[in-house]
Amino acid sequence: MNQAGTKAAVQKMQEYIESHLLERITLKQLSDSVGYSPWHAARMFKENTGKAPFDYMRSVRLSKAALVLRDENHRIIDVALDFVFDSHEGFTKAFSKEFGISPKRYSRSTPPIQLFLPGKVFDSYRAILKGGMKMSNRKEERNTKSIFVQVVERPARKVLLKRGLRATEYFGYCEEVGCDVWSLLTSVKEALYEPVGMWLPKSLIREGTSEYVQGVELPLDYSNQVPDGYELIELPPCMMMIFQGEPYEDENFMEAIDEVWHHIEKFDPAVYGYQWNKEAAPRFQLVPMGYRGYIEAIPVAPLNK
């Protein structure tokens, strides 16, 4: 089987696991979903995800269970049984091993933890950006696409972030610090918005650290645990100009990003009565997801009258 066929089969198994997550799944059922022997299916799965099928299922179930404990008032035994664990004790042991904290302690304090987020979207993004995120210099005619622009206000807030060393874009950042930062940021209960990739203004870049970081914005009164290697910074209120491209097919990540960047490059914010204010806050990007279009934001200020 060629590489594309293998990845398609593995993704189909991931989808099977997701749709049957609250049921017992045998290796035979999983392999039957793609039409291969149990041995061959298990080998393909581990080679492409880094985890054996049952280890993968357990990590996904534990992460989903953690989010339930974080957001809902359920008894631990009920969560354990819902996610196909046989007992309170077995669930507690597995949860503690996965996250370094017991489910009882976690449900009370909900500190940031390293969730396991299957990497279908992130892996594709990483592969496309392997050559670096650079604005295209293409001169050929473009198909004009609509870019939605709006200005939103961000309140004074904290940001929980992890710095790299020299990274100026997503792939370089993953090379420096790994690609698991997003999983931890996603676990933060107090988040004001979804996690973002950020290009820090010069005033926020510490000597010997990267321009590009990943973080999540939090209320000013956030006082929960700060994981090792992360830090909290404060940002003042600001205005952000949001650029959102059209929906696209997921395999066309780079074209969608490039389209928005090309628009930003030639965009004059004065048309809206604003000017760039790039030292006021980090420029940021949301995770590219085809159904909503690529989204990026740049700080602005009203033009002086």
Side-chain angles (χ1 to χ4, degrees):
M1 183 188 296
N2 61 31
Q3 187 176 20
T6 297
K7 289 189 176 297
V10 171
Q11 181 164 328
K12 189 172 181 180
M13 286 189 279
Q14 289 179 295
E15 291 167 353
Y16 183 89
I17 290 169
E18 185 69 25
S19 62
H20 296 82
L21 196 62
L22 303 184
E23 307 167 21
R24 294 194 182 277
I25 303 172
T26 66
L27 184 55
K28 179 70 164 54
Q29 290 172 320
L30 189 63
S31 62
D32 284 348
S33 73
V34 290
Y36 292 99
S37 71
W39 179 86
H40 189 57
R43 182 177 62 82
M44 284 195 306
F45 194 92
K46 185 170 184 179
E47 286 178 353
N48 283 269
T49 67
K51 285 181 176 285
F54 290 110
D55 293 336
Y56 178 98
M57 291 180 214
R58 182 175 59 248
S59 291
V60 173
R61 284 172 174 149
L62 287 168
S63 290
K64 298 276 190 181
L67 294 178
V68 171
L69 291 173
R70 185 192 72 178
D71 298 334
E72 301 176 31
N73 186 26
H74 289 331
R75 294 190 309 162
I76 292 171
I77 183 58
D78 292 334
V79 175
L81 296 176
D82 285 345
F83 286 94
V84 204
F85 287 86
D86 292 327
S87 66
H88 187 296
E89 293 75 13
F91 176 69
T92 295
K93 183 177 180 180
F95 192 99
S96 300
K97 183 177 180 181
E98 185 83 6
F99 302 121
I101 185 174
S102 72
K104 183 176 182 179
R105 283 185 56 208
Y106 177 73
S107 65
R108 288 177 175 175
S109 58
T110 61
I113 58 174
Q114 193 72 59
L115 297 174
F116 177 68
L117 301 179
K120 288 179 290 187
V121 169
F122 294 104
D123 287 344
S124 300
Y125 188 27
R126 191 179 312 140
I128 288 169
L129 298 178
K130 198 165 187 177
M133 287 179 69
K134 296 181 180 179
M135 179 70 72
S136 169
N137 291 317
R138 294 175 304 188
K139 300 296 184 181
E140 68 267 23
E141 182 179 353
R142 289 172 176 266
N143 293 322
T144 303
K145 295 184 178 180
S146 300
I147 305 293
F148 177 67
V149 180
Q150 65 174 324
V151 176
V152 300
E153 294 188 12
R154 280 289 211 254
R157 61 217 183 274
K158 289 182 178 178
V159 179
L160 177 69
L161 60 80
K162 187 167 188 175
R163 300 179 189 269
L165 300 175
R166 294 173 295 278
T168 59
E169 39 74 26
Y170 171 87
F171 185 76
Y173 180 81
C174 284
E175 288 288 305
E176 291 177 358
V177 305
C179 296
D180 294 330
V181 175
W182 214 269
S183 301
L184 184 141
L185 297 175
T186 301
S187 78
V188 180
K189 181 176 183 177
E190 298 86 350
L192 294 174
Y193 317 101
E194 67 184 273
V196 291
M198 297 183 285
W199 289 270
L200 297 176
K202 291 180 180 179
S203 60
L204 294 178
I205 301 174
R206 292 210 320 257
E207 184 175 356
T209 65
S210 60
E211 173 191 6
Y212 187 90
V213 303
Q214 290 181 350
V216 65
E217 294 163 286
L218 306 166
L220 285 177
D221 62 359
Y222 177 81
S223 59
N224 211 330
Q225 178 180 324
V226 177
D228 290 343
Y230 291 75
E231 66 180 91
L232 282 174
I233 63 172
E234 289 192 15
L235 295 176
C238 69
M239 306 184 81
M240 302 294 296
M241 185 168 283
I242 310 293
F243 296 85
Q244 182 172 7
E246 292 182 5
Y248 58 88
E249 296 298 322
D250 283 336
E251 61 267 22
N252 298 326
F253 275 95
M254 198 61 238
E255 291 87 345
I257 294 171
D258 186 71
E259 190 71 36
V260 172
W261 280 5
H262 179 77
H263 184 84
I264 292 173
E265 186 180 47
K266 60 187 179 64
F267 185 81
D268 180 7
V271 171
Y272 285 77
Y274 293 92
Q275 59 188 335
W276 301 130
N277 190 22
K278 295 181 180 180
E279 283 299 310
R283 175 174 176 163
F284 68 77
Q285 61 179 173
L286 303 188
V287 173
M289 295 182 182
Y291 75 89
R292 67 181 182 185
Y294 176 65
I295 301 172
E296 194 164 309
I298 302 174
V300 294
L303 282 170
N304 295 326
K305 296 182 179 180

